Amino acid sequence: ASTQPMTPQPQNALALLYAVLDNNLGDSWTRLVNNIESGVRTGMNVRLMIDGPTDQDVYLYDMMYDLNPFCPSLANPTCNGRYVEGVNFWRLTNENSAHPDNLYQFLVDAIKTYPTTYQITLSLIGHGSGWSANVLPGQPSIWRDQNDTVGGMLWDDHPAAGQQDSRSLSTKALGQALTWAGEQTGRQIDLLYLDGCSMGMAEVAYELRNGARYLLASPNIDWASFNYSTLLPATADHT
């Protein structure tokens, strides 16, 4: 879905968050969104794509600072109109958030909306399984048309109409999406944060070597703490 660009604020940092909670992380939706809101600071633009646990709940936000821990929520995604549809909130129609084309389009739209940003941080939020084919129990290691790749992250349990199985974004496809977006916009991601389990592998870093200047990830389980109330201000302070 296309978006209507807001008037960009010059020389702001740009924080992009791409969250796929269309799985057993769905209960964390409100906590994640409101932690992000509390981390927004002057001097930064924060854009979030979040795919919730059911159908037709893929939303795009230009986030605003707020300390209410209960709103927005899945039941009230605009927070009683605080987010205005077509201005800083959009309902997206594509349910397959694990597809690299959708990540690519998210990046291109955001970077073109905020062309004067001096640094770009991208956080991919969701289940991760690293590069190896030995994934977490029940988690898909490939998606249907990508049989040459293993591992990855962003487990999506509600793919596009007509597909019967879950999908995830392979490491190879992630690298391709980042490269495509860089070629289209002329901008490289400065910091890529893989906020998922088991993504801190040399093999992952190698696949993504052309997509970002720096990579932040962890080899541990339970890496996704969603502590963006702290992480976003740290990003804004870094130049």
Side-chain angles (χ1 to χ4, degrees):
S2 62
T3 62
Q4 295 297 319
M6 298 175 62
T7 302
Q9 301 178 29
Q11 300 304 313
N12 281 2
L14 177 60
L16 304 176
L17 303 102
Y18 192 89
V20 181
L21 308 187
D22 208 348
N23 46 61
N24 57 13
L25 291 175
D27 290 343
S28 299
W29 195 101
T30 298
R31 177 166 63 93
L32 171 60
V33 172
N34 287 284
N35 279 354
I36 293 170
E37 279 193 327
S38 65
V40 175
R41 294 293 185 271
T42 301
M44 67 189 313
N45 297 307
V46 180
R47 176 163 283 194
L48 167 69
M49 192 293 305
I50 186 165
D51 188 354
T54 63
D55 293 328
Q56 300 180 347
D57 60 354
V58 184
Y59 304 133
L60 183 71
Y61 289 91
D62 282 329
M63 302 298 292
M64 300 183 293
Y65 175 77
D66 186 73
L67 293 178
N68 182 342
F70 306 109
C71 183
S73 66
L74 276 170
N76 185 10
T78 67
C79 197
N80 299 317
R82 188 160 60 81
Y83 287 97
V84 179
E85 293 200 41
V87 177
N88 56 5
F89 173 82
W90 298 265
R91 300 176 190 268
L92 305 186
T93 58
N94 196 318
E95 288 289 336
N96 186 3
S97 301
H99 200 288
D101 287 354
N102 293 321
L103 174 59
Y104 159 82
Q105 196 62 56
F106 167 76
L107 294 173
V108 170
D109 287 347
I111 293 170
K112 288 186 175 181
T113 298
Y114 298 105
T116 60
T117 184
Y118 66 88
Q119 71 175 20
I120 303 171
T121 301
L122 170 64
S123 179
L124 302 181
I125 305 167
H127 282 298
S129 60
W131 179 88
S132 171
N134 297 318
V135 301
L136 299 174
Q139 182 172 355
S141 62
I142 60 174
W143 45 276
R144 179 169 295 180
D145 299 323
Q146 206 162 1
N147 295 322
D148 60 334
T149 54
V150 295
M153 65 180 306
L154 303 184
W155 167 18
D156 191 332
D157 247 356
H158 293 270
Q163 301 294 335
Q164 301 299 316
D165 55 340
S166 296
R167 294 185 171 187
S168 63
L169 179 66
S170 72
T171 306
K172 180 177 180 179
L174 170 56
Q176 290 172 337
L178 295 175
T179 299
W180 296 337
E183 291 173 349
Q184 179 66 27
T185 63
R187 296 293 302 271
Q188 189 178 40
I189 302 300
D190 293 294
L191 173 64
L192 173 62
Y193 174 30
L194 302 181
D195 193 0
C197 296
S198 305
M199 298 305 296
M201 298 182 177
E203 294 87 350
V204 172
Y206 179 81
E207 290 283 2
L208 305 181
R209 66 194 182 281
N210 296 320
R213 295 178 60 210
Y214 295 97
L215 174 66
L216 175 62
S218 172
N220 297 328
I221 303 296
D222 295 331
W223 177 237
S225 62
F226 306 146
N227 192 21
Y228 289 94
S229 58
T230 300
L231 293 175
L232 286 175
T235 299
D237 292 340
H238 177 73
T239 59

